Structure formats: structure tokens, C-alpha cells
Amino acid sequence: MIRKVFIVCLVASLQVSCGEEPTLEQQIIGTINEMEGLAEEGKRRPFMAMVAADFSGQSGIMTKDEFQRFMILQWSVNQRLHFQLGPIHVYSAGPGTATAEFLGLITGGRGLIPERGQFYEFHTSWLQDDDEWLLLSASWVPVRFDEKGFPGFENH
């Protein structure tokens, strides 16, 4: 029995150690998804730990401290904060740096049903710190829809 357990553990450890290294895209998307989950759960400290000390937001007008105050305001105003992100496009920006762009719907409110929501276009940059990726900069602008409505859908 002990021999069988040992063999199972050995095979499992070999499979893990032979696994492929995640791609840059997988790493950044994984980090964004982790931050999304932390933000939705209101886990302020772990969320902000994923933001670089020299963070710059909204094209340089927001520091990490200001971004933290902005996020605390969002968590205070919205009992339920939810993010629905579209496809994330990741680009290498040199060794240990990357950018990611995506659309996202952010909704919030006090009850189960969101009271408000807005689509945003996000432009982010990332810095690798050992084996973790930190949010170095982020800018977001509301997406405005013209009379044709939501992109990819026809209004009837």
C-alpha cells in the first residue's frame, strides 16, 4: 500500500515538474482575473498588493495612493461590485514588461441586481517582479455607443 502511494506521488510530481511554463499572455490574463476576483470580493489589501508601488493611473494623474482611495470609494458605494471582462489582448513590451488591453462592463449597487453599469476600455501595463506581475499603469475610458447600439448587434 505504501509503495502504491509512493508511486502515485512520484508520477504526480513528475507531471507537475514537466508542465510547460505559462505563456506571457496566460500569466497576465491570470493576474487580471485574480485581481478581478479580489475586487469583486472586496479584498482590498490583496488587490492593492498586486499594484506596483510606482503605479500611474489615468495617464499619469493618479498615484497608487489615489488609486487605492478610488477603489475604496467604489467598494464603499457598491455593496456588490462586478466585472465582466471581454477578450484580453496581451503584448510584450520588453523583458519583464507587458501591456494588456480589453473592454469591461463594471456594474455595482446595493442589492442583487446592479443599479448602474458602464462599459470601459482599459489600457494597462505590467511589470514582472520575480514570478509575479504587478499593475504598473492603467487608464480607462467609458465606451460610448452610437445610434447603431452595441458593437456586433443590430438594433431592431
Side-chain angles (χ1 to χ4, degrees), residues 16-85:
V16 169
S17 65
C18 294
E20 292 183 24
E21 180 79 20
T23 66
L24 172 67
E25 183 177 41
Q26 291 169 332
Q27 292 175 47
I28 298 296
I29 290 172
T31 301
I32 291 170
N33 288 335
E34 185 177 352
M35 289 183 81
E36 173 189 1
L38 292 169
E40 288 179 349
E41 294 170 15
K43 295 186 175 177
R44 300 171 184 184
R45 289 183 195 270
F47 177 87
M48 289 307 298
M50 299 179 81
V51 178
D54 54 348
F55 171 84
S56 172
Q58 292 302 80
S59 301
I61 62 171
M62 183 182 285
T63 65
K64 180 178 181 175
D65 288 341
E66 292 165 332
F67 180 59
Q68 183 172 3
R69 285 191 291 275
F70 170 79
M71 290 303 299
I72 288 171
L73 175 65
Q74 299 310 308
W75 285 311
S76 297
V77 170
N78 299 289
Q79 182 179 345
R80 297 180 66 87
L81 194 58
H82 183 73
F83 299 82
Q84 183 64 48
L85 304 180

Side-chain angles (χ1 to χ4, degrees), residues 28 50 52-54 95-98 125-130 132-137:
I28 298 296
M50 299 179 81
D54 54 348
T97 60
S125 65
W126 299 85
L127 177 66
Q128 191 170 24
D129 183 27
D130 293 326
E132 296 181 345
W133 285 92
L134 300 177
L135 180 61
L136 183 60
S137 71

Side-chain angles (χ1 to χ4, degrees), residues 100-120:
E101 299 174 347
F102 51 94
L103 290 177
L105 171 63
I106 301 176
T107 59
R110 294 258 173 228
L112 293 175
I113 298 175
E115 298 166 1
R116 61 197 150 277
Q118 175 67 53
F119 279 95
Y120 290 92

